[in-house]
Amino acid sequence: VGGVPRVVTLSELASHNKKNDAWIAIRGIVFNVTRYMDFHPGGIDELMRGVGKDATKLFESVHAWVNYQSILQKCVVGRLSRGSASGT
Ligand code: HEM
């Protein structure tokens, strides 16, 4: 950690939508889950459903109890910009 959190736009988030370049936003924070991909207990395809998006609702509908903040502590990219309406 350290430094000023970087702001990520929805379009930038959307461009990181591949297994080998995977960002996901949950409750306003953007994480790079590329390295977590192979370790996700629900599998790659499940995790990919939320990649490149604000996956807050999806995440909460599947496993709201999972402590992603701790698991992805080292994977924070920045915060998601609030802005024009998104497809959440
Ligand atoms: C388990 C889906 C994101 C962590 C699961 C399972 C599914 C799933 C279906 C159940 C697997 C099973 O029991 O066989 C998804 C979807 C995601 C997502 C659709 C997209 C938003 C994440 C993220 C994390 C995460 C971002 C953490 C950084 C976990 C953990 C489990 C799990 C720890 C095991 C939970 C338990 O057994 O209580 N996921 N996941 N998932 N996922 Fe995700």
Side-chain angles (χ1 to χ4, degrees):
V1 251
V4 178
R6 157 176 179 348
V7 176
V8 177
T9 64
L10 280 168
S11 61
E12 186 182 12
L13 173 64
S15 72
H16 298 272
N17 63 348
K18 297 166 201 70
K19 288 176 190 174
N20 63 356
D21 179 15
W23 292 10
I24 192 168
I26 302 171
R27 294 181 199 143
I29 304 297
V30 178
F31 302 93
N32 183 336
V33 293
T34 310
R35 297 177 73 187
Y36 182 66
M37 194 61 67
D38 289 338
F39 301 98
H40 178 235
I44 292 173
D45 291 346
E46 283 292 333
L47 182 53
M48 281 304 294
R49 291 170 66 202
V51 162
K53 304 170 192 167
D54 180 345
T56 306
K57 286 176 185 162
L58 177 59
F59 183 92
E60 284 174 358
S61 71
V62 183
H63 42 35
W65 61 87
V66 167
N67 192 349
Y68 64 94
Q69 294 99 327
S70 167
I71 298 170
L72 300 177
Q73 204 175 344
K74 303 267 176 62
C75 307
V76 174
V77 177
R79 65 178 179 80
L80 187 62
S81 73
R82 298 159 185 278
S84 49
S86 65
T88 53

